[in-house]
Amino acid sequence: MGDASASWCKCLANLDASSLRYRRLQPVEVAGDDLAKSVMIRLLTMVGFEPLDCGGIDDCAKIEPGYHSRRWKHPKHLAYHGQNHP
């Protein structure tokens, strides 16, 4: 707690095992602090996924998978998956 060197982000929450198994390259939501987010965005880009910047640390809960009213989805996520995708 309180470690200034700590950095984190939330991502890959909207992928399931079949997406990875069949290399279904798709938009991936990423939220968190700037350092961790930039690293994850570079990694996702390197392997062929399209990273979607969904905000800072306070926005992480909004990209939590599932069908609930708090779930915010990036417009590109909606275009690719449709409204009912987690």
Side-chain angles (χ1 to χ4, degrees), residues 7-8 32-39 53 55-57:
S7 184
W8 61 273
D33 70 60
D34 289 337
L35 177 60
K37 201 165 51 170
S38 68
V39 170
D53 188 340
I57 292 172

Side-chain angles (χ1 to χ4, degrees), residues 48-84:
F49 286 95
E50 179 184 3
L52 305 175
D53 188 340
C54 292
I57 292 172
D58 293 337
D59 298 310
C60 288
K62 295 177 186 174
I63 63 171
E64 197 60 42
Y67 303 100
H68 52 75
S69 61
R70 295 184 321 261
R71 172 79 163 103
W72 177 84
K73 298 177 187 176
H74 191 283
K76 284 194 174 184
H77 176 96
L78 288 171
Y80 187 88
H81 295 289
Q83 182 63 39
N84 293 324

Side-chain angles (χ1 to χ4, degrees), residues 11-26 28 40 44 47 49:
C11 63
L12 306 175
N14 66 306
L15 296 180
D16 61 16
S18 65
S19 294
L20 298 173
R21 181 177 181 191
Y22 299 112
R23 279 207 42 85
R24 188 170 158 234
L25 300 178
Q26 59 190 288
V28 177
M40 198 63 215
L44 287 167
V47 296
F49 286 95

